[in-house]
Amino acid sequence: MKHAVKKVGMMGGTFDPIHCGHLLAAEQAREQAGLDEIWFMPTHIPPHKQRDSLTLAEHRLNMVQMAVADHEAFRVTDIELRREGPSYTYDTMVQLTQQFPDCQFSFIIGGDMVKILPKWYQFQELLRMVRFIGLARPGTELDREASEYVTFVEMPVWDISSTLIREKAAAGKSIRYLVPTAVERYIKENRFYETLD
């Protein structure tokens, strides 16, 4: 008997910390692209980011788990944290498609990332395994030529970033409502981001 295909959206990032903008984007992608689940995937060493002071993987993973705990369609995978070296999407998707043959994977990215997609490592091979979902913010100029491999979904404007949250925390300012309550508590208890390198 053939199993039904599960449509899974992958959302990768350093999540240092995960914030409500990530959750909003995931929910918009899930609903508009008709996905069954969203898997949040904290990265080990993202190839495009060079920040020496990255919070320990164990804590970033804990914060993601806390943030998604109350959503029945949100999951967390530590697949990239268990692998050494830079986290290339191609390597991850090879592993995931082999491990979960009944899943149809999409990869969620910001609309501004669409133009550089063809420069991603093993891009053509990656397209055989995954479709991309681009988050289109109002006013963002989209590369519509990419529509053969990108599904665009509408994303409300919310100018929030992990950098903003780290800066506010370092300045002793409130991060309430920018991150889930459990994440805010965890950050305070562990005294993360009290100083910026």
Side-chain angles (χ1 to χ4, degrees):
M1 183 177 170
K2 194 173 181 180
H3 294 285
V5 173
K6 183 188 290 184
K7 295 180 180 178
V8 176
M10 303 299 300
M11 192 161 193
T14 50
F15 299 125
D16 191 14
I18 189 168
H19 54 67
C20 294
H22 292 128
L23 301 174
L24 175 63
E27 181 69 354
Q28 294 300 309
R30 184 192 68 80
E31 185 175 69
Q32 294 181 47
L35 303 174
D36 297 309
E37 292 180 356
I38 303 291
W39 294 3
F40 289 78
M41 182 174 62
T43 55
H44 180 49
I45 304 172
H48 62 288
K49 285 192 180 179
Q50 302 295 328
R51 192 165 69 83
D52 296 333
S53 57
L54 202 61
T55 303
L56 286 175
E58 146 193 17
H59 292 305
R60 291 186 289 118
L61 180 65
N62 287 343
M63 287 190 280
V64 175
Q65 289 170 332
M66 290 172 186
V68 307
D70 65 347
H71 198 303
E72 67 284 351
F74 286 178
R75 307 275 180 272
V76 183
T77 174
D78 64 353
I79 187 171
E80 290 200 341
L81 297 180
R82 287 185 275 111
R83 193 171 61 234
E84 292 300 315
S87 298
Y88 287 106
T89 303
Y90 169 77
D91 297 328
T92 301
M93 295 318 301
V94 167
Q95 194 175 343
L96 283 172
T97 51
Q98 290 173 350
Q99 198 172 342
F100 302 98
D102 294 331
C103 290
Q104 180 183 11
F105 291 101
S106 296
F107 205 87
I108 303 165
I109 60 171
D112 56 336
M113 292 280 287
V114 172
K115 286 186 178 179
I116 65 167
L117 267 181
K119 296 179 181 177
W120 281 28
Y121 176 68
Q122 299 283 26
F123 177 65
Q124 291 301 325
E125 288 77 8
L126 187 57
L127 287 182
R128 297 190 180 99
M129 295 181 281
V130 65
R131 181 162 181 86
F132 287 91
I133 296 174
L135 301 168
R137 295 182 177 187
T140 302
E141 189 177 329
L142 300 173
D143 183 5
R144 294 295 179 185
E145 290 179 12
S147 59
E148 60 186 84
Y149 52 82
V150 178
T151 299
F152 290 101
V153 300
E154 296 299 322
M155 173 68 187
V157 174
W158 193 3
D159 194 11
I160 175 176
S161 68
S162 296
T163 302
L164 172 72
I165 291 162
R166 291 193 302 269
E167 289 172 349
K168 280 185 170 293
K173 295 181 179 178
S174 172
I175 57 171
R176 193 174 188 179
Y177 305 126
L178 295 175
V179 297
T181 304
V183 173
E184 179 192 16
R185 189 180 307 119
Y186 191 77
I187 288 171
K188 287 180 178 176
E189 286 173 355
N190 288 278
R191 305 183 70 174
F192 296 147
Y193 318 125
E194 288 190 353
T195 58
L196 292 178
D197 293 338

PDB file of all heavy atoms in Angstrom, residues 144-155:
ATOM      1  N   ARG A 144      10.621  37.316 -10.970  1.00  0.00           N
ATOM      2  CA  ARG A 144       9.541  36.450 -11.459  1.00  0.00           C
ATOM      3  C   ARG A 144      10.028  35.388 -12.436  1.00  0.00           C
ATOM      4  O   ARG A 144       9.349  34.396 -12.664  1.00  0.00           O
ATOM      5  CB  ARG A 144       8.452  37.301 -12.128  1.00  0.00           C
ATOM      6  CG  ARG A 144       7.728  38.223 -11.156  1.00  0.00           C
ATOM      7  CD  ARG A 144       6.938  37.451 -10.106  1.00  0.00           C
ATOM      8  NE  ARG A 144       6.258  38.334  -9.164  1.00  0.00           N
ATOM      9  CZ  ARG A 144       5.585  37.904  -8.104  1.00  0.00           C
ATOM     10  NH1 ARG A 144       5.505  36.606  -7.851  1.00  0.00           N
ATOM     11  NH2 ARG A 144       5.009  38.761  -7.292  1.00  0.00           N
ATOM     12  N   GLU A 145      11.226  35.598 -13.004  1.00  0.00           N
ATOM     13  CA  GLU A 145      11.778  34.578 -13.894  1.00  0.00           C
ATOM     14  C   GLU A 145      12.080  33.292 -13.128  1.00  0.00           C
ATOM     15  O   GLU A 145      12.191  32.221 -13.716  1.00  0.00           O
ATOM     16  CB  GLU A 145      13.051  35.095 -14.568  1.00  0.00           C
ATOM     17  CG  GLU A 145      12.796  36.192 -15.582  1.00  0.00           C
ATOM     18  CD  GLU A 145      14.073  36.692 -16.220  1.00  0.00           C
ATOM     19  OE1 GLU A 145      15.121  36.027 -16.041  1.00  0.00           O
ATOM     20  OE2 GLU A 145      14.033  37.729 -16.902  1.00  0.00           O
ATOM     21  N   ALA A 146      12.216  33.428 -11.830  1.00  0.00           N
ATOM     22  CA  ALA A 146      12.526  32.267 -11.002  1.00  0.00           C
ATOM     23  C   ALA A 146      11.285  31.448 -10.676  1.00  0.00           C
ATOM     24  O   ALA A 146      11.371  30.429  -9.994  1.00  0.00           O
ATOM     25  CB  ALA A 146      13.185  32.729  -9.702  1.00  0.00           C
ATOM     26  N   SER A 147      10.122  31.866 -11.190  1.00  0.00           N
ATOM     27  CA  SER A 147       8.866  31.212 -10.805  1.00  0.00           C
ATOM     28  C   SER A 147       8.785  29.746 -11.239  1.00  0.00           C
ATOM     29  O   SER A 147       7.939  29.004 -10.765  1.00  0.00           O
ATOM     30  CB  SER A 147       7.663  31.981 -11.369  1.00  0.00           C
ATOM     31  OG  SER A 147       7.743  32.054 -12.769  1.00  0.00           O
ATOM     32  N   GLU A 148       9.682  29.321 -12.126  1.00  0.00           N
ATOM     33  CA  GLU A 148       9.678  27.907 -12.508  1.00  0.00           C
ATOM     34  C   GLU A 148      10.163  27.018 -11.364  1.00  0.00           C
ATOM     35  O   GLU A 148       9.844  25.841 -11.321  1.00  0.00           O
ATOM     36  CB  GLU A 148      10.533  27.682 -13.755  1.00  0.00           C
ATOM     37  CG  GLU A 148      11.990  28.078 -13.603  1.00  0.00           C
ATOM     38  CD  GLU A 148      12.750  27.961 -14.908  1.00  0.00           C
ATOM     39  OE1 GLU A 148      12.697  28.904 -15.727  1.00  0.00           O
ATOM     40  OE2 GLU A 148      13.408  26.930 -15.108  1.00  0.00           O
ATOM     41  N   TYR A 149      10.937  27.571 -10.452  1.00  0.00           N
ATOM     42  CA  TYR A 149      11.391  26.768  -9.317  1.00  0.00           C
ATOM     43  C   TYR A 149      11.100  27.410  -7.958  1.00  0.00           C
ATOM     44  O   TYR A 149      11.469  26.877  -6.921  1.00  0.00           O
ATOM     45  CB  TYR A 149      12.887  26.424  -9.430  1.00  0.00           C
ATOM     46  CG  TYR A 149      13.806  27.611  -9.667  1.00  0.00           C
ATOM     47  CD1 TYR A 149      14.237  28.408  -8.611  1.00  0.00           C
ATOM     48  CD2 TYR A 149      14.254  27.914 -10.946  1.00  0.00           C
ATOM     49  CE1 TYR A 149      15.080  29.471  -8.821  1.00  0.00           C
ATOM     50  CE2 TYR A 149      15.104  28.987 -11.173  1.00  0.00           C
ATOM     51  CZ  TYR A 149      15.517  29.759 -10.110  1.00  0.00           C
ATOM     52  OH  TYR A 149      16.359  30.830 -10.321  1.00  0.00           O
ATOM     53  N   VAL A 150      10.423  28.566  -7.950  1.00  0.00           N
ATOM     54  CA  VAL A 150      10.065  29.228  -6.691  1.00  0.00           C
ATOM     55  C   VAL A 150       8.564  29.496  -6.663  1.00  0.00           C
ATOM     56  O   VAL A 150       7.996  30.017  -7.620  1.00  0.00           O
ATOM     57  CB  VAL A 150      10.817  30.569  -6.519  1.00  0.00           C
ATOM     58  CG1 VAL A 150      10.390  31.257  -5.223  1.00  0.00           C
ATOM     59  CG2 VAL A 150      12.322  30.357  -6.525  1.00  0.00           C
ATOM     60  N   THR A 151       7.932  29.127  -5.544  1.00  0.00           N
ATOM     61  CA  THR A 151       6.541  29.502  -5.293  1.00  0.00           C
ATOM     62  C   THR A 151       6.569  30.698  -4.356  1.00  0.00           C
ATOM     63  O   THR A 151       7.153  30.614  -3.262  1.00  0.00           O
ATOM     64  CB  THR A 151       5.775  28.345  -4.626  1.00  0.00           C
ATOM     65  OG1 THR A 151       5.769  27.219  -5.496  1.00  0.00           O
ATOM     66  CG2 THR A 151       4.343  28.750  -4.310  1.00  0.00           C
ATOM     67  N   PHE A 152       5.992  31.813  -4.774  1.00  0.00           N
ATOM     68  CA  PHE A 152       6.001  33.007  -3.930  1.00  0.00           C
ATOM     69  C   PHE A 152       4.753  33.049  -3.054  1.00  0.00           C
ATOM     70  O   PHE A 152       3.646  32.784  -3.520  1.00  0.00           O
ATOM     71  CB  PHE A 152       6.069  34.270  -4.787  1.00  0.00           C
ATOM     72  CG  PHE A 152       7.405  34.453  -5.465  1.00  0.00           C
ATOM     73  CD1 PHE A 152       7.568  34.127  -6.803  1.00  0.00           C
ATOM     74  CD2 PHE A 152       8.497  34.933  -4.762  1.00  0.00           C
ATOM     75  CE1 PHE A 152       8.790  34.282  -7.436  1.00  0.00           C
ATOM     76  CE2 PHE A 152       9.723  35.091  -5.382  1.00  0.00           C
ATOM     77  CZ  PHE A 152       9.872  34.766  -6.726  1.00  0.00           C
ATOM     78  N   VAL A 153       4.954  33.361  -1.771  1.00  0.00           N
ATOM     79  CA  VAL A 153       3.825  33.538  -0.861  1.00  0.00           C
ATOM     80  C   VAL A 153       3.919  34.942  -0.261  1.00  0.00           C
ATOM     81  O   VAL A 153       5.019  35.478  -0.084  1.00  0.00           O
ATOM     82  CB  VAL A 153       3.795  32.475   0.262  1.00  0.00           C
ATOM     83  CG1 VAL A 153       3.692  31.076  -0.323  1.00  0.00           C
ATOM     84  CG2 VAL A 153       5.012  32.572   1.175  1.00  0.00           C
ATOM     85  N   GLU A 154       2.767  35.518   0.030  1.00  0.00           N
ATOM     86  CA  GLU A 154       2.724  36.874   0.583  1.00  0.00           C
ATOM     87  C   GLU A 154       3.125  36.862   2.057  1.00  0.00           C
ATOM     88  O   GLU A 154       2.656  36.030   2.831  1.00  0.00           O
ATOM     89  CB  GLU A 154       1.317  37.461   0.438  1.00  0.00           C
ATOM     90  CG  GLU A 154       0.877  37.654  -1.016  1.00  0.00           C
ATOM     91  CD  GLU A 154       1.760  38.612  -1.785  1.00  0.00           C
ATOM     92  OE1 GLU A 154       2.209  39.624  -1.181  1.00  0.00           O
ATOM     93  OE2 GLU A 154       2.016  38.348  -2.967  1.00  0.00           O
ATOM     94  N   MET A 155       3.983  37.797   2.404  1.00  0.00           N
ATOM     95  CA  MET A 155       4.466  37.895   3.772  1.00  0.00           C
ATOM     96  C   MET A 155       4.222  39.295   4.300  1.00  0.00           C
ATOM     97  O   MET A 155       4.658  40.279   3.679  1.00  0.00           O
ATOM     98  CB  MET A 155       5.969  37.576   3.790  1.00  0.00           C
ATOM     99  CG  MET A 155       6.657  37.792   5.127  1.00  0.00           C
ATOM    100  SD  MET A 155       6.129  36.619   6.379  1.00  0.00           S
ATOM    101  CE  MET A 155       6.962  37.314   7.824  1.00  0.00           C
TER     102      MET A 155
END
